[in-house]
């Protein structure tokens, strides 16, 4: 398997624009996680899915953030409108079960000007 | 609310030294604990996973221990190499396996 795939790897956008981050989990993994990493706050769990259903979105910072998982092989994290404070590295991870080892993607580095 | 801390924040050692990284968590009701490695500009790679019922796990030169009652875990790296240079993070799952909290990491530099 190619591992968890994320795109784009880098995104630079201007404040107010819509940003969509994409993730393809490892085939067969039932859980998908979205994380955000910043110098100030470290690695934070934003939301996770089980069998395409959102289980816990309590980490989503505000209504500007939304995540979907239309099928087992694809998920998106959308920010609309984006703000400079959203600048961070966003990671997607997947696992067989919630308590198993998580496999991380390479991340998307987002810069909002 | 679970909080995870790691000491030290950064560590620099000469090649060949044995070293210990520390992780502390405030709520001992955990399901498991994982140690990850992160290289600059990369994602996280899982190193070891310890279930709450286990005391330690070993993989090659790495050994992780868990003392759930005191809220502590250590990662022991034997005979360190320059290739071990990275940031090491620990993460705990709560007792239901539904909440994942990461520590801030320890940045390790192994000097040749």
């Amino acid at each position: 398997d190619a591992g968890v795939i994320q795109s784009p790897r880098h995104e630079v956008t201007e404040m107010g624009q819509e940003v969509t981050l994409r993730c393809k989990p490892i085939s067969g993994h039932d859980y998908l996680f979205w994380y955000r990493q910043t110098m100030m706050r470290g690695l934070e769990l934003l939301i996770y899915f089980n069998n395409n259903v959102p289980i816990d979105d309590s980490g989503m910072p505000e209504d500007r953030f939304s995540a979907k998982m239309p099928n087992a092989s694809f998920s998106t994290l959308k920010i609309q409108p984006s703000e400079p404070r959203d600048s961070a590295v966003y990671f997607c991870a997947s696992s067989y079960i919630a308590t198993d080892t998580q496999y991380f993607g390479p991340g998307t580095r987002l810069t909002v000007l | 609310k679970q909080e995870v801390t790691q000491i030290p924040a950064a560590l620099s050692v000469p090649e060949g030294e044995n070293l210990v990284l520390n992780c502390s968590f405030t709520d001992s009701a955990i399901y498991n604990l994982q140690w990850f490695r992160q290289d600059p500009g990369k994602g996280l790679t899982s190193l070891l996973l310890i279930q709450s019922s286990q005391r330690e796990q070993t993989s090659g030169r790495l050994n992780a221990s868990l003392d759930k009652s005191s809220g502590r875990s250590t990662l022991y790296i034997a005979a360190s190499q320059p290739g071990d240079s990275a940031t090491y993070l620990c993460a705990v799952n709560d007792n239901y396996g539904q909440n994942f909290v990461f520590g801030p990491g320890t940045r390790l530099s192994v000097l040749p």
Side-chain angles (χ1 to χ4, degrees):
Chain A
D1 201 310
V4 176
I5 299 173
Q6 291 187 249
S7 65
R9 293 294 311 276
H10 302 272
E11 176 82 28
V12 180
T13 190
E14 292 188 347
M15 183 173 64
Q17 296 298 306
E18 177 179 294
V19 175
T20 300
L21 311 181
R22 297 172 177 79
C23 175
K24 176 179 168 48
I26 293 174
S27 178
H29 282 188
D30 289 335
Y31 283 81
L32 183 140
F33 307 83
W34 281 102
Y35 291 91
R36 178 173 68 177
Q37 186 175 42
T38 61
M39 288 293 292
M40 289 294 294
R41 300 176 66 91
L43 195 66
E44 302 173 285
L45 176 66
L46 300 177
I47 184 172
Y48 75 93
F49 295 82
N50 177 26
N51 291 323
N52 314 337
V53 177
I55 301 301
D56 186 352
D57 65 354
S58 60
M60 297 285 263
E62 46 197 279
D63 292 345
R64 296 184 297 107
F65 286 69
S66 62
K68 294 182 179 179
M69 192 164 185
N71 57 62
S73 60
F74 183 66
S75 177
T76 60
L77 178 67
K78 186 175 294 187
I79 308 172
Q80 165 64 18
S82 59
E83 297 181 3
R85 59 194 169 118
D86 302 330
S87 297
V89 180
Y90 291 81
F91 288 103
C92 175
S94 68
S95 66
Y96 281 113
I97 58 176
T99 53
D100 200 2
T101 297
Q102 293 185 23
Y103 295 84
F104 279 72
T108 295
R109 182 173 295 277
L110 173 65
T111 302
V112 183
L113 303 175
Chain B
K1 179 185 174 185
Q2 179 75 270
E3 293 184 4
V4 180
T5 55
Q6 292 186 244
I7 295 174
L11 181 64
S12 185
V13 300
E15 182 177 4
E17 266 201 17
N18 303 324
L19 57 99
V20 175
L21 307 181
N22 297 289
C23 171
S24 298
F25 45 95
T26 54
D27 187 348
S28 62
I30 65 169
Y31 194 92
N32 62 32
L33 181 146
Q34 299 187 49
W35 281 93
F36 291 86
R37 167 185 174 139
Q38 185 175 25
D39 292 284
K42 301 286 182 63
L44 280 70
T45 300
S46 180
L47 299 172
L48 291 164
L49 184 153
I50 310 177
Q51 302 295 344
S52 61
S53 59
Q54 297 176 318
R55 299 285 292 185
E56 64 179 309
Q57 280 285 339
T58 298
S59 176
R61 295 182 294 109
L62 305 180
N63 176 277
S65 67
L66 174 64
D67 184 344
K68 201 173 75 162
S69 61
S70 67
R72 294 178 185 175
S73 176
T74 61
L75 179 65
Y76 175 83
I77 302 177
S80 59
Q81 303 171 358
D84 295 330
S85 298
T87 297
Y88 291 80
L89 298 93
C90 68
V92 298
N93 287 355
D94 71 8
N95 220 19
Y96 301 98
Q98 301 289 324
N99 187 27
F100 309 89
V101 181
F102 280 78
T106 293
R107 190 172 66 252
L108 172 66
S109 296
V110 181
L111 307 174

